[in-house]
Amino acid sequence: MNLQIAMILGQDGVTNGAIYALLALSILLVFTVTRVLFIPLGEFVAFGALTMAAFQAGKAPALVWLLAGFAVAVAVADVLAAFRNSGRVRFSGAQTFRLAYPFVLGFALYRLPLAELPMSVQVLLTLALVVPLGPQIYRLFFQPIASAPVLILLIVSIAVHVAMVGLALLMFGPSGAKTTPFSEAGLELGPITLNSQTLWVIAVSVGLIVVLYQFFERSVYGKALRATAINRVGAQLMGISPVFAGKASFFLATLIATLSGVLIAPITTIYYDSGFIISLKGFIGSIIGGLVSYPVAALGAVLVGLLEAFSAFWASTYKEVIVFTLIIPFLLWRSLTVRHVEEEE
């Protein structure tokens, strides 16, 4: 291996690692706030990429009907919950907006010339279509069992993941898709040329990490989520709604995952079930961070990306084995060095 090959592999590793870092931070955020290991996170990566590809092909994806179905289910669940608590049926303006939103969006998608829209508008429409699924999934599947043991939450998370993979096959089909790059320009860096999409991935990933840092450090909502992550019971006693914290963490996680899918879609072909393996590598990064440390998780995810790139060069057949074997020594190290505490009641 010479310097040029090492730099090319390093470029691929950092690009993949940046995506894994975003997913690791999302997994960490959802777990610390809600205790849910968000296994279906990878499906939002696939949904983002395949939805963007559908828009560029001039088609409105069937995903809008899943959004509409979930919106109706959420409305029914809210009405039943209000009737159980107060004996009356109430329907607020916010609930009316959430119910009408997917139908208005679907009407617009079937009317707009999607393939002719600017790419920035296609990205915004992708986010508008995919991201609301996150809070809906929390409301339907996790909010009713928010106080259940972690193992129960994990089993439900796996069930939701399996169901979403099946729905993805139904909505997008078995064929993969790749989208148009954001730009065709490149950057000469010594003996290699960085393609524009690589620069977009790294720039957006770093930008998102900075925005998340500012959000958690300076905004009231960010501080509320941090308080919930540190001590859920204490945050609840201080008036921070666990329902709000859960929905907000799922919203942020799905936003990051969907944007990650849009970013990598021009680089690699994405299939309906590609998201799981991508998010699993982000999960390894979050495990390296002990499911508590955001900076260590981000660095661990970049390490996974680099290890994957160099493993592909030396032993491409075994690259996944090498990457996933990385989790074993970290789990052993964590189990031997970290003080175990009882689960919070």
Side-chain angles (χ1 to χ4, degrees), residues 80-106:
L80 291 176
F83 184 76
R84 279 197 300 269
N85 292 333
S86 63
R88 293 184 302 171
V89 175
R90 293 182 299 176
F91 212 71
S92 66
Q95 289 171 320
T96 304
F97 171 78
R98 289 196 293 268
L99 180 60
Y101 174 80
F103 295 97
V104 174
L105 181 61

Side-chain angles (χ1 to χ4, degrees), residues 26-218:
S26 301
I27 291 169
L28 208 52
L29 170 65
V30 171
F31 181 75
T32 53
V33 173
T34 66
R35 299 178 302 134
V36 174
L37 273 175
F38 197 22
I39 308 294
L41 184 66
E43 274 57 71
F44 291 99
V45 177
F47 284 2
L50 296 174
T51 299
M52 186 75 180
F55 287 158
Q56 292 187 351
K59 300 175 184 175
L63 188 65
V64 68
W65 299 115
L66 178 64
L67 185 70
F70 278 176
V72 172
V74 167
V76 172
D78 286 344
V79 167
L80 291 176
F83 184 76
R84 279 197 300 269
N85 292 333
S86 63
R88 293 184 302 171
V89 175
R90 293 182 299 176
F91 212 71
S92 66
Q95 289 171 320
T96 304
F97 171 78
R98 289 196 293 268
L99 180 60
Y101 174 80
F103 295 97
V104 174
L105 181 61
F107 178 78
L109 292 180
Y110 281 97
R111 289 287 182 179
L112 288 171
L114 296 171
E116 301 170 14
L117 294 174
M119 189 173 291
S120 56
V121 178
Q122 292 174 341
V123 173
L124 290 176
L125 285 175
T126 300
L127 296 176
L129 179 56
V130 180
V131 174
L133 287 169
Q136 287 179 336
I137 285 177
Y138 177 77
R139 173 63 186 90
L140 291 173
F141 303 109
F142 296 105
Q143 184 180 321
I145 56 169
S147 58
V150 173
L151 180 60
I152 301 295
L153 296 173
L154 175 62
I155 293 171
V156 173
S157 185
I158 293 172
V160 173
H161 155 68
V162 173
M164 288 184 69
V165 171
L167 288 171
L169 175 61
L170 183 67
M171 293 183 293
F172 295 106
S175 302
K178 204 171 178 180
T179 61
T180 307
F182 290 2
S183 64
E184 300 292 346
L187 175 66
E188 295 286 344
L189 189 64
I192 66 169
T193 301
L194 297 176
N195 67 59
S196 61
Q197 197 61 34
T198 297
L199 298 175
W200 272 104
V201 170
I202 295 173
V204 173
S205 300
V206 172
L208 270 177
I209 290 172
V210 172
V211 168
L212 285 174
Y213 176 79
Q214 294 294 326
F215 172 74
F216 285 115
E217 287 293 324
R218 301 187 183 280

